[in-house]
């Protein structure tokens, strides 16, 4: 199966701590978004691969 999903990387601020964090937002349906948290190495890899514009759309595929 291959499934292309719209997603984006965002920098957000935690309501609890006030700290910034980076999250991948995957649009699963028009009204439902899934947050995926990456470690710092994965964030750097995505930035190196797709650029440092966090608003840039990234295609993700499931090749199971």
């Amino acid at each position: 199966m291959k499934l292309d999903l719209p997603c984006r990387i965002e920098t957000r601020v935690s309501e609890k701590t006030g700290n910034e964090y980076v999250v991948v937002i995957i649009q699963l349906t028009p009204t439902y978004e899934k947050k995926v948290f990456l470690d710092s190495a994965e964030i750097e890899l995505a930035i190196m691969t797709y650029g440092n514009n966090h608003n840039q759309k990234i295609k993700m595929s499931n090749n199971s």
Side-chain angles (χ1 to χ4, degrees):
M1 174 196 312
K2 180 179 179 181
L3 182 62
D4 289 330
L5 300 171
C7 65
R8 62 191 182 277
I9 295 176
E10 293 184 359
T11 300
R12 294 187 171 187
V13 177
S14 170
E15 293 178 7
K16 288 182 183 179
T17 66
N19 295 333
E20 282 191 347
Y21 63 95
V22 176
V23 61
V24 176
I25 307 293
I26 303 171
Q27 193 74 43
L28 294 176
T29 73
T31 60
Y32 182 75
E33 296 179 335
K34 172 70 176 172
K35 295 177 188 173
V36 178
F37 298 93
L38 305 177
D39 65 30
S40 58
E42 292 167 327
I43 293 165
E44 289 303 316
L45 183 60
I47 290 170
M48 287 176 18
T49 302
Y50 297 102
N52 61 2
N53 179 358
H54 291 300
N55 293 321
Q56 181 176 349
K57 302 258 179 174
I58 297 174
K59 276 190 174 181
M60 298 178 67
S61 295
N62 177 1
N63 294 321
S64 301

